[in-house]
């Protein structure tokens, strides 16, 4: 069995310094107005008892990734380590991934999709993705998902003393997220779907409807192809009978 | 083949232009669309070229009825009404359809300008045309603003309409070549003998017109 | 050929070579060859802010290819913040100054180096003859190269006035901490069990390794309390945010001292053995109960009691951070005394030099040039032009000086010439009009810069320096348990041939001014001399960038460099100059009008992805601001509601000095008295095309003022009116 | 060398001269009616039907005014003029291994074009004036090299150079219009752009 790798973001440690965003832009040669890491800030409470909830809008590396399922060109694939990789050179920019993603992460711009590419080369060399290695606040970790979950549990237990709703996000969602988040409050506060899902219709479409459609087309071709010689001979015969 | 017979006008210029515009745009749409369905065609979709082509031809495709209405309003009306109006002969014709499929016209009930098969073909094309156009527009202009379910619903309807259209087109091509009907859609004229054989009621009706004003206005010598 | 040709391309053997090298002209073929080249790594020190974090610079085919954090460097520890990546692009920025420029009216004309230096020398000699060296100043953001060459140059001229940006930053720390414990200490974040930040904001005033240590400590359970009118980025991760009415931190600290003393929670042994003036201090704070402080600070008395007790219960492995600009930098009339009070409160905890307390490390002991061969110029004896340390002017001002006062002196005709390097006082001190008029009125203002900043707009001559990656600098030291020596070697060839590094220019000027005898050595010789005692050669350091020395044993209790050699609760020098020798409550200079719903105190602060206004012109960093609408003015939600202002609304901000429009961020994360502006925007130099006119700058609204004790700029003593635009 | 190639080379040289800072040496001559006449006849020889730039033979600027106009139009180092340097108008590098923020951005010096040109000069043992060391891809130098290619290189090399390196004049003109440069220099850039476009077609034939 392959090992699941993933990220862990402790949102309670983020200082919104944007180092990860810029480092990621460097790693992926993105121009200044394209980014794979966006941030969402949400205040709760009222002055002075206020909390600033921070989360990154970036690929969650779902185990059951609808973007991989829907991608018609194979630009989105699952690595052996279960991370979701994007090969922009195969991407047609159809934007299906952007529309199907329950987290609204991919962006279809400039005829391609923009989403975390999971620093494939670095990871395959055994290094950390660049957002993790650059995080100055230790808010990001990378490693075996099981290990990350363990450390997240510890951290959440500590946080619960101050934030009773503190929790891990991504343990179960979408078959388990490769981007685990430590939250101080309910996911909804962070603008995260509590129960994200890959619409069941996606599987029906890709696994049943499309193959059936193709089979019917095939059958029609076969039937007409096979009958053509007989039919046209019959027709010619009828004409000559006149 | 029919030889030495007189020719009767079956398709007006407007009808023919509309038919071919629809046919060409349909095939371009089909192949540009398939790049998003068949992985081995995916490289063609790279960089958004296929999408651009798909959109340009979608506009052509959707403008065909508009053109038809402008060029031949009556023709369009007739097409729509005829496609959804079936008489006893039509039903009988459909029952005997397998005969016709295998190239036998004789013994089929007499038909109007369109035979019952053509009517069903047209009716389904009209329905799928509307479906595929509407879903296409929603996917195009709703990009980024659709929920997962709306998006998937649209994509699937778009797909289903496409399968139906492809199968209809296969059948259409089949009959065209079995019955050598291509010429009619190219020139507009069909052989009077062919008309007598396949569209007896229609031939009778235009002959009736002839007796009214003394000549056969829609015919010429082959 | 019809016309006379110059030959731009001096060809010798082009004809045959063209035929022989088939792929040469084809860029695609060339690019393949380039891609195959290997990447080399050289060390440097980042210039994205003045922390000078160590970084590795990757080069391919001689071109800059990537930057990454230097793992050995104590400030970066392998990590870089966003600014580093932005600053690296200065190298290829087409908006750089590429040639010496001379201002004629408001236009800049290119002149040759020879002409520029000659004109400067002639003018300076004239001023020296007429007004003497007292009429000259040098201003900079003090980093090693500027300190060494600038100081030596000024001293050789007999000119005493060397000032830095600190009067708009943290010169109060030198005053407060200096008077109390002899120096501004560091803090052992990693070892602390309880940390209070008053206005200090690690998350946005970033030194990467400090943030890393803080979050590591927090994961281990360190409690961090953030006291700030604004819920800043450090408050995001702090255990607790306690908002305070801006400008009243002194009252809080005094009240905490009151609790700790009256409940006898302080370190009695330390106080007895290592301090003086405790009785006076105790007497002074006697009346400052938490109940007294509550209405002033807007913090409940119970919270103040709790904070004081919690802090004291963790002594000596705890501290109130010595801070930077935060609440006791140069912001309020009471900032110097606030800093004093913080220093005294820390002393009560006995945390001087303890694990998890304040640190008193020193930098490496650098060598010096051979004094026989290279005698040092004598220290000038004239009084400073900015009055810093001068009886009758600003006796308690630090040697960091008063650049805003120099603008005044220039207006009065008492200062005639200035040299400014790597420093933008016209934009970064209050009242740009005052600063610009003063500096532009100088007979000679030489600005050493890479970009044409607002201050450069006032210059008579602008001398272009190469960017930080194109020049070798003087070896720098870093204080620490293990002191470090760091070098910024030249890592790429100069892009613009007509740029010269500061040391080169100073040496050339010195020769023209007849003080060349003090500069008979190369930068290389200087660096060798500095490194000699450390056990590393210049060549090695050029390869490694950072050299970590041996651990230096420190005494259990540090030597306090105060007159008494002890921690001074009572500072005689203050009394002698008419200021309270022990910290006492003093209200801020101005306060918002409680009867006017539009009246706010305008406060400002940094963002983690900008360094003042120096980085706003970098597209990558400015885009972060744009993506997050981060240039907005923060207003407290209830105050905004009362004015009918909604999130994202455009408002008019008005003070006696200026008015400007900006959009609003309506938030619960701000004290109701305050309106907060991020401090990196509002550039007005037309030569910074991306930054110009983007956002507002707090300094436009704040009048030119001097704090009575050490003369700093009191940058948050300004009340503005805010209304819907 | 063919007569037409000589004409092309000398027109490239003339443009190179005009697009470098004006000097006392030849400014008057370059803009004189005589040069205009000559250019007119060369263009006619080539069958290239372009109007002459107004700077040549038309409206006159004295040397000082020309120096000023040149500086503010094409050489002001502070973002006020349209710097005629190729790198600024191209993505900085096409090498995917670069991890610099500007890798795929336009607007910076020292890009691929600059490095390639520097390598060409080196291989051909050509020395460029030291004040252009930051911009081996300066328009004046590129035009000069083009003239050299016309004189000594193959038509393929000329074609390649025009399509890979001298293809950014439309962008330069856009920048020039955004900054409002001197009309005579704008006019000259239009002529240069059009002549290059003509020559590309000419070479393709």
């Amino acid at each position: 069995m392959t090992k699941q790798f993933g990220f862990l973001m402790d949102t309670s440690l983020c200082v919104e310094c944007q180092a990860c965003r810029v480092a990621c832009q460097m790693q992926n040669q993105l121009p200044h107005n394209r980014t794979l890491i966006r941030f969402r800030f949400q205040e709760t409470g009222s002055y002075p008892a206020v909390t600033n909830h921070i989360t990154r809008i970036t690929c969650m590396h779902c185990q059951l990734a609808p973007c991989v399922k829907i991608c018609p060109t194979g630009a989105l694939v699952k690595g052996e380590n279960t991370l979701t990789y994007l090969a922009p050179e195969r991407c047609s920019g159809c934007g299906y991934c952007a529309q199907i993603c329950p987290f609204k992460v991919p962006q279809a711009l400039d005829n391609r999709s923009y989403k975390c590419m999971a620093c494939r080369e670095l990871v395959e060399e055994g290094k950390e993705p660049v957002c993790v290695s650059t995080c100055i606040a230790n808010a990001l970790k990378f490693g075996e998902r099981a290990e990350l979950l363990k450390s997240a549990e510890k951290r959440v237990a500590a946080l619960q003393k101050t934030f009773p709703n503190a929790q891990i996000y991504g343990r179960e969602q979408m078959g388990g997220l490769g981007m685990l988040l430590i939250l101080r409050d309910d996911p909804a506060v962070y603008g995260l779907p509590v129960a994200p899902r890959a619409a069941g219709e996606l599987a029906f479409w890709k696994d049943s409807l499309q193959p059936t459609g193709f089979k019917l087309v095939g059958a029609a071709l076969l039937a007409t192809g096979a009958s053509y010689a007989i039919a046209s001979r019959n027709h010619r015969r009828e004409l000559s009978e006149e | 083949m029919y030889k030495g017979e007189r020719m009767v006008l079956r398709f007006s210029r407007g009808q023919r232009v509309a038919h071919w515009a629809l046919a060409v745009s349909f095939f371009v749409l089909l192949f540009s669309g398939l790049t998003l369905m068949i992985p081995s065609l995916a490289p063609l979709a790279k960089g958004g070229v296929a999408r651009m082509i798909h959109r340009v031809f979608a506009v052509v495709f959707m403008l065909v009825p508009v053109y038809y209405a402008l060029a031949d309003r009556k023709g369009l009306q007739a097409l729509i009404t005829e496609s959804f109006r079936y008489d006893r002969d039509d039903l009988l014709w459909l029952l005997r359809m397998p005969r016709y499929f295998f190239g036998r016209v004789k013994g089929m009930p007499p038909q109007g300008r369109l035979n019952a098969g053509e009517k069903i073909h047209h009716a389904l094309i009209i329905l799928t045309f509307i479906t595929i156009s509407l879903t296409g527009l929603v996917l195009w202009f709703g990009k980024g603003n659709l929920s997962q379910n709306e998006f998937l619903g649209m994509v699937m309807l778009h797909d289903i309409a496409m399968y139906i259209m492809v199968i209809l087109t296969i059948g259409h091509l089949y009959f065209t070549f079995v019955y050598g009907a291509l010429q009619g859609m190219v020139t507009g004229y069909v052989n009077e003998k062919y008309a007598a054989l396949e569209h007896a009621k229609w031939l009778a009706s235009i002959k009736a017109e002839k007796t009214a004003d003394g000549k056969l206005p829609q015919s010429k010598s082959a | 050929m019809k016309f006379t040709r110059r030959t731009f391309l001096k060809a010798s053997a082009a004809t045959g070579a063209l035929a022989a090298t088939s792929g040469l002209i084809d860029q695609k073929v060339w690019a393949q060859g380039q891609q195959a080249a290997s990447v080399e790594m050289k060390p440097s020190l980042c210039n994205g802010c003045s922390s000078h974090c160590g970084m590795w610079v990757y080069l391919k085919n001689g071109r800059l290819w990537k930057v990454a954090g230097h793992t050995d460097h104590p400030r970066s520890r392998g990590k870089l913040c966003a600014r580093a990546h932005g600053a690296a692009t200065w190298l290829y920025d087409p908006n750089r100054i590429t040639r010496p420029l001379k201002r004629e009216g408001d236009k800049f004309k290119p002149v040759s180096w020879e002409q520029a230096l000659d004109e400067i020398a002639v003018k300076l000699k004239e001023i020296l003859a007429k007004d003497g060296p007292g009429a000259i100043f040098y201003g900079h953001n003090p980093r090693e190269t500027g300190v060494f060459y600038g100081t030596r140059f000024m001293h050789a001229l007999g000119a005493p006035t060397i000032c830095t940006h600190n009067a708009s930053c943290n010169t109060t720390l030198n005053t407060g901490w200096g008077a109390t414990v002899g120096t501004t200490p560091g803090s052992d974040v990693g070892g602390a069990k309880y940390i209070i930040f008053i206005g200090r904001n690690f998350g946005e005033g970033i030194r990467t390794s400090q943030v890393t240590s803080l979050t590591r400590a927090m994961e281990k359970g360190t409690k961090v309390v953030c006291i700030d009118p604004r819920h800043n980025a450090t408050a995001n991760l702090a255990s607790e945010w306690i908002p305070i009415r801006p400008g009243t931190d002194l009252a809080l600290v005094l009240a905490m001292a009151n609790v700790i003393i009256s409940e006898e929670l302080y370190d009695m042994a330390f106080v007895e053995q290592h301090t003086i003036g405790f009785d006076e201090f105790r007497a002074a704070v006697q009346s400052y109960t938490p109940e007294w402080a509550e209405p002033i600070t807007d913090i409940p008395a119970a919270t103040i009691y709790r904070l004081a007790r919690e802090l004291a219960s963790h002594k000596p492995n705890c501290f109130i951070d010595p801070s930077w600009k935060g609440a006791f930098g140069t912001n309020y009339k009471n900032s110097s005394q606030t800093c004093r009070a913080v220093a005294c409160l820390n002393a009560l905890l006995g945390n001087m030099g303890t694990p998890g307390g304040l640190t008193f490390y020193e930098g490496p002991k650098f060598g010096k040039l051979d004094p026989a061969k290279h005698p040092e110029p004598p220290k000038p004896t004239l009084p400073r032009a900015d009055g810093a340390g001068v009886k009758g002017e600003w006796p308690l001002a630090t040697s960091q000086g008063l650049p805003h006062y120099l603008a005044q002196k220039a207006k009065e005709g008492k200062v005639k010439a200035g040299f400014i390097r790597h420093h933008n006082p016209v934009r970064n001190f209050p009242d740009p009009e005052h600063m610009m008029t003063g500096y532009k009125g100088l007979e000679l203002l030489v600005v050493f810069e890479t970009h044409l900043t607002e201050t450069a707009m006032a210059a008579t001559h602008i001398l272009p320096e190469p960017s930080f990656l194109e020049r070798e600098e003087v070896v720098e030291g870093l204080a620490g348990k293990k002191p470090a020596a760091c070098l910024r070697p030249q890592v790429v060839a100069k892009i613009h041939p007509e740029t010269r590094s500061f040391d080169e220019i100073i040496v050339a000027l010195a020769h023209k001014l007849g003080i060349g005898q003090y500069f008979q050595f190369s930068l290389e010789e200087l660096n060798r001399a500095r490194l000699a005692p450390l056990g590393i050669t210049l060549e090695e350091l050029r390869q490694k960038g950072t050299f970590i020395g041996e651990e230096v044993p420190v005494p259990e209790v540090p030597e306090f460099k105060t007159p008494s050699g002890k921690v001074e609760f009572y500072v005689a020098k203050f009394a002698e100059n008419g200021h309270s020798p022990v910290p006492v409550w003093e209200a801020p200079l101005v306060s918002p009008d409680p009867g006017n719903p539009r009246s706010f105190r305008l406060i400002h602060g940094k963002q983690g992805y900008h360094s003042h206004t120096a980085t706003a012109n970098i597209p990558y960093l400015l885009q972060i601001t744009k993506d997050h609408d981060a240039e907005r003015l923060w207003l407290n939600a209830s105050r905004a509601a009362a004015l009918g202002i909604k999130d994202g609304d455009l408002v008019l901000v008005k003070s006696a000095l200026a008015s400007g429009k900006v959009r609003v961020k309506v938030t619960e994360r701000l004290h109701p008295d305050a309106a907060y502006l991020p401090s990196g925007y509002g550039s007005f130099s037309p030569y910074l095309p991306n930054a110009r006119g983007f956002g507002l700058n707090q300094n436009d609204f704040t009048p030119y003022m001097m704090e009575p004790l050490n003369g700093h700029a009191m940058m948050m003593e300004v009340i503005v009116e805010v209304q819907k635009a | 060398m063919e007569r037409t190639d000589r004409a092309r080379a000398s027109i490239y040289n003339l443009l190179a001269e005009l697009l470098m800072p004006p000097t006392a040496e030849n400014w008057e001559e370059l803009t004189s009616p005589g040069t205009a006449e000559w250019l007119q006849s060369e263009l006619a020889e080539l069958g290239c039907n372009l109007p002459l730039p107004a700077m040549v033979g038309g409206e006159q600027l004295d040397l000082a005014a020309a120096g000023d106009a040149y500086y503010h139009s094409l050489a002001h180092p502070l973002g006020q003029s349209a710097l005629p340097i190729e790198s600024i108008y191209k993505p900085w590098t096409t090498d995917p291994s670069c991890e610099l923020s500007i890798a795929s951005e336009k607007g910076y010096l020292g890009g691929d074009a600059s490095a390639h040109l520097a390598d060409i000069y080196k291989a051909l043992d050509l020395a460029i004036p030291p004040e252009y060391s930051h911009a081996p891809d300066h328009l004046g130098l590129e035009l000069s090299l083009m003239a050299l290619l016309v004189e000594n290189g193959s038509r393929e090399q000329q074609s390649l150079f025009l399509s890979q390196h001298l293809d950014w004049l439309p962008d330069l003109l856009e920048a020039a219009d955004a900054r409002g440069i001197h009309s005579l220099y704008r006019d000259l850039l239009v002529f240069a752009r059009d002549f290059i476009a003509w020559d590309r077609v000419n070479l393709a034939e």
Side-chain angles (χ1 to χ4, degrees), chain B residues 140-171:
Chain B
W140 184 353
F141 292 102
K143 192 167 182 175
N145 299 316
L146 301 175
S147 73
Q148 276 182 355
N149 283 341
E150 286 163 351
F151 168 71
L152 277 175
M154 290 301 138
V155 168
M156 283 196 277
L157 282 175
H158 201 73
D159 266 20
I160 291 169
M162 181 273 291
Y163 294 126
I164 296 172
M165 282 183 140
V166 168
I167 291 166
L168 287 173
T169 305
I170 292 168

Side-chain angles (χ1 to χ4, degrees), chain B residues 40-62:
Chain B
S40 52
L41 294 181
L44 298 173
K46 219 199 109 193
V49 183
R51 179 169 53 256
M52 182 53 73
I53 292 172
H54 201 72
R55 286 178 176 179
V56 168
F57 281 85
V59 173
V60 175
F61 186 72
M62 289 184 290

Side-chain angles (χ1 to χ4, degrees), chain A residues 9 13 27 44 71 102 118 131 137 146 150 155 157 178 190-191 221 229 236:
Chain A
M9 180 187 183
L13 292 181
Q27 177 73 26
T44 55
C71 178
C131 62
K150 264 188 234 161
R155 176 73 183 149
Y190 292 79
L221 282 171
R236 278 197 302 276

Side-chain angles (χ1 to χ4, degrees), chain A residues 16 21 30 43 135-136 184, chain C residues 79 212 236 620 627 667:
Chain A
E16 44 184 299
R21 163 187 160 131
L30 299 179
E43 292 175 9
C135 179
I136 64 173
R184 286 191 280 206
Chain C
K79 306 202 180 213
T212 314
N236 281 342
Y620 269 82
D627 285 356
T667 178

